[in-house]
Amino acid sequence: MNIRQKIALMITAAGFLASLIFSGIVLWQMTDQPNRLMDAELENIGQRALKIVLQNDGKLTPNAVSEIGDQNFWLEIYAADSGRLIYKSYLAMILSMPEIKPDSSRTVSRTIERDKIYLGQDRQNEVTFRLKNFSVIVAGKRYLLKTGRPMERLEEEFWHIIIGVGGGLLVFVVVLLLLSYYFAGFILKPVRIINDQARNISEKHLDRRIPTGAGNDEFNRLAHTLNEVFDRLEYAFTRQKRLLADASHELKTPLTMMRLSLDEIRSGFDDELSDLQSESIMRLTEQVLRMERLVKSLLDLSALEIAHSTTTEPVDLKPLLNFLTDDYTLLAEARKIKIKTQLPHRLPVTGNLEELNRAFSNLLDNAIKYNHDDGEVRISGRLTDNRVTVVISNTGPGVAEAATTKVFDQFYRVETSRAQLYGGTGLGLAIVKRIIELHNGTVTFSSTPEGVTAVTVTLPFY
Ligand code: ATP
Ligand code: MG
């Protein structure tokens, strides 16, 4: 069950409980009110009757009470001290009533023939009476009054009301459920927005933020807090990138100085150096060159990482790839590797010539470097709906399936020993990936068990 459903259910349950209590109170009031009115009336008429009875002392017919306005009044008056009956109304003579406690009232049902006296009986000649016993003190003497009066049947009415209220409650619950479900969705809408936006903020789009409104509710505060977290993250990421760029930059000049000094020693003092010293200087130069390459790659990569876009122009990849093939022919021929190209008439893309040159140069470099002697490199291109696809594949030992996704990571090399043999830095493919990303393109790496490795690049068609 999701939060929206839970909120809707809770509101409905609370609403149902509250209206149940409310209806209970109203119902109780409704059913008790007529009884209380009737009790007050019984007491009133009873007292008036007692007054008339006492004024006429004994010489009173049972019907005399009709003078006070009600023939259907059931009345017995007793002197409290002696218990003697001093008056009995006509109705009390033809109909007996059950005993009830003094100072109490009760509703009872009696049967009486309608031709004797008509009291609004139902078909079974049943009449509902309200009875009340109470005592009155007149001139220091206490009298006990047993009073009663027919009243309308309330039970049927009562059931009608119960059914009405029950039905109303049911409709109320359904409407409340629908409304609260709708409103819960409305209230939770900001959560959905926050979720969608937070999902969009990845390493590549760390500058994006969750939109916040003017209000100061919990969701808005959550969005603000998340945005602050993203601020800190973005700051940390850019700082890390800047650090790499700055460190590489600081290393560049000393490395160039070292290389130049080594060149100077080699050319100026070549005759005076022993073989061992010459060899050491050679090795040193090699390492310095390697470090220079590494620093250059790091600088390239950090510049690309910081960039959000690149300047583009229409570029035809076909001449670019042909030039590169020519450049690498010597290197390939040295290891008897054949480079075969299969390109259409034109491969126009929107891109940055210099960066694309660097990317494809890195790919060709890998294709030859990680090939075996007498191997083969194939460069093929094709135009498919709005995309230009270039595949550079090569024979060779290939890489394991698990490594194919990691080759784009910085400093990742499949086999450290082998990579070291070729002097790689593990930054080449990371640079390729970043360049292609800046071009809104894609690059994938695959390797078959037979050792055919293929890198597929797609770029937007110009
Ligand atoms: P750099 O390119 O910076 O000189 P590198 O070539 O070692 O160093 P990447 O180009 O990023 O680094 O390649 C990463 C690893 O992927 C390589 O070490 C290599 O093991 C593997 N690899 C890359 N291209 C190929 C390929 N065409 N065939 C087989 N393995 C490859
Ligand atoms: Mg490489």
Side-chain angles (χ1 to χ4, degrees):
M1 201 188 282
N2 60 32
I3 301 271
R4 187 181 182 181
Q5 290 163 339
K6 277 186 196 162
I7 291 178
L9 269 186
M10 280 177 196
I11 292 176
T12 311
F16 177 69
L17 205 72
S19 36
L20 202 68
I21 293 170
F22 177 74
S23 329
I25 293 171
V26 169
L27 271 181
W28 183 73
Q29 285 287 335
M30 274 171 70
T31 50
D32 202 46
Q33 185 77 352
N35 287 342
R36 269 184 283 145
L37 283 176
M38 186 63 112
D39 289 354
E41 204 180 321
L42 285 174
E43 210 172 311
N44 204 358
I45 302 176
Q47 278 177 4
R48 279 200 317 228
L50 175 67
K51 221 167 158 190
I52 297 172
V53 169
L54 291 178
Q55 276 164 9
N56 294 286
D57 189 30
K59 304 177 275 302
L60 208 59
T61 62
N63 260 336
V65 180
S66 63
E67 283 171 40
I68 60 165
D70 200 336
Q71 238 248 161
N72 299 338
F73 197 55
W74 193 99
L75 175 67
E76 283 177 358
I77 302 176
Y78 296 87
D81 47 4
S82 59
R84 184 176 61 91
L85 176 72
I86 57 171
Y87 178 75
K88 199 172 188 173
S89 73
Y90 173 69
L91 196 57
M93 288 185 171
I94 57 171
L95 187 72
S96 65
M97 288 291 177
E99 276 301 321
I100 62 166
K101 275 189 233 139
D103 287 316
S104 73
S105 43
R106 199 171 128 189
T107 308
V108 297
S109 185
R110 311 299 294 157
T111 311
I112 181 163
E113 306 283 314
R114 61 184 64 208
D115 35 312
K116 262 194 192 164
I117 184 167
Y118 183 68
L119 299 169
Q121 296 85 325
D122 65 4
R123 258 180 235 125
Q124 280 87 40
N125 279 335
E126 259 189 33
V127 193
T128 305
F129 278 90
R130 181 73 182 172
L131 302 181
K132 185 175 169 76
N133 279 8
F134 58 99
S135 52
V136 180
I137 297 171
V138 179
K141 281 184 89 181
R142 215 156 70 91
Y143 298 92
L144 192 65
L145 278 81
K146 296 184 179 176
T147 62
R149 228 186 148 187
M151 64 191 287
E152 272 178 41
R153 275 178 159 266
L154 279 179
E155 285 108 82
E156 238 162 74
E157 293 291 313
F158 186 71
W159 280 112
H160 278 144
I161 293 170
I162 290 261
I163 290 166
V165 168
L169 264 181
L170 205 73
V171 174
F172 170 76
V173 163
V174 172
V175 172
L176 189 64
L177 193 67
L178 292 176
L179 278 181
S180 48
Y181 187 72
Y182 171 77
F183 284 121
F186 182 73
I187 292 169
L188 290 175
K189 199 172 153 209
V191 177
R192 272 206 306 281
I193 295 174
I194 291 174
N195 188 32
D196 291 347
Q197 294 294 329
R199 230 184 254 262
N200 277 338
I201 302 171
S202 57
E203 192 199 332
K204 296 284 168 297
H205 304 288
L206 264 183
D207 53 327
R208 289 187 188 169
R209 289 293 174 271
I210 297 165
T212 50
N216 190 30
D217 60 23
E218 287 82 346
F219 293 137
N220 224 358
R221 284 206 293 277
L222 174 68
H224 274 293
T225 312
L226 281 176
N227 280 346
E228 279 165 23
V229 173
F230 289 128
D231 283 347
R232 288 201 289 274
L233 260 182
E234 190 187 11
Y235 176 72
F237 264 89
T238 22
R239 229 177 81 103
Q240 183 214 338
K241 282 175 191 166
R242 288 240 166 263
L243 189 78
L244 199 67
D246 292 348
S248 318
H249 191 79
E250 290 302 316
L251 283 172
K252 215 169 111 176
T253 324
L255 281 171
T256 317
M257 303 256 288
M258 277 162 81
R259 181 169 46 82
L260 290 178
S261 304
L262 285 168
D263 282 352
E264 233 166 68
I265 295 172
R266 253 206 329 218
S267 50
F269 305 94
D270 202 24
D271 311 338
E272 297 162 38
L273 296 174
S274 68
D275 285 353
L276 198 70
Q277 284 169 327
S278 289
E279 206 182 304
S280 296
I281 295 220
M282 273 285 286
R283 274 212 302 274
L284 208 58
T285 311
E286 247 171 53
Q287 290 305 317
V288 169
L289 281 173
R290 205 173 103 79
M291 279 177 79
E292 269 191 312
R293 277 202 304 275
L294 173 70
V295 165
K296 190 183 173 306
S297 294
L298 271 178
L299 272 174
D300 283 350
L301 187 61
S302 50
L304 287 166
E305 291 276 9
I306 290 164
H308 290 294
S309 62
T310 180
T311 49
T312 56
E313 55 185 331
V315 175
D316 191 351
L317 285 184
K318 180 163 174 158
L320 187 144
L321 289 169
N322 282 336
F323 277 126
L324 280 176
T325 314
D326 291 345
D327 280 354
Y328 279 93
T329 307
L330 266 180
L331 198 70
E333 274 176 359
R335 291 176 56 205
K336 296 200 174 64
I337 294 169
K338 282 190 203 71
I339 304 180
K340 293 182 179 168
T341 53
Q342 197 181 13
L343 300 169
H345 182 53
R346 288 181 60 205
L347 279 173
V349 297
T350 316
N352 182 303
L353 183 66
E354 197 191 321
E355 287 176 5
L356 289 175
N357 189 60
R358 201 185 315 160
F360 285 107
S361 165
N362 275 347
L363 293 180
L364 257 173
D365 181 66
N366 282 353
I368 295 167
K369 215 155 59 167
Y370 304 111
N371 216 319
H372 51 61
D373 292 350
D374 297 312
E376 197 179 278
V377 174
R378 274 172 193 270
I379 305 170
S380 66
R382 62 176 191 274
L383 301 167
T384 43
D385 39 24
N386 284 331
R387 308 293 281 180
V388 166
T389 306
V390 176
V391 183
I392 299 181
S393 61
N394 60 278
T395 50
V399 302
E401 169 88 49
T404 55
T405 48
K406 294 186 199 149
V407 291
F408 294 107
D409 292 350
Q410 296 171 17
F411 297 110
Y412 181 80
R413 279 171 292 175
V414 175
E415 263 173 54
T416 327
S417 57
R418 190 179 83 198
Q420 225 129 42
L421 188 72
Y422 299 117
T425 60
L427 290 174
L429 285 180
I431 291 173
V432 171
K433 187 163 186 240
R434 188 64 196 140
I435 289 175
I436 302 300
E437 270 173 4
L438 285 175
H439 281 78
N440 297 320
T442 60
V443 53
T444 53
F445 187 100
S446 66
S447 195
T448 64
E450 295 80 42
V452 178
T453 304
V455 181
T456 308
V457 175
T458 71
L459 286 163
F461 182 74
Y462 172 65

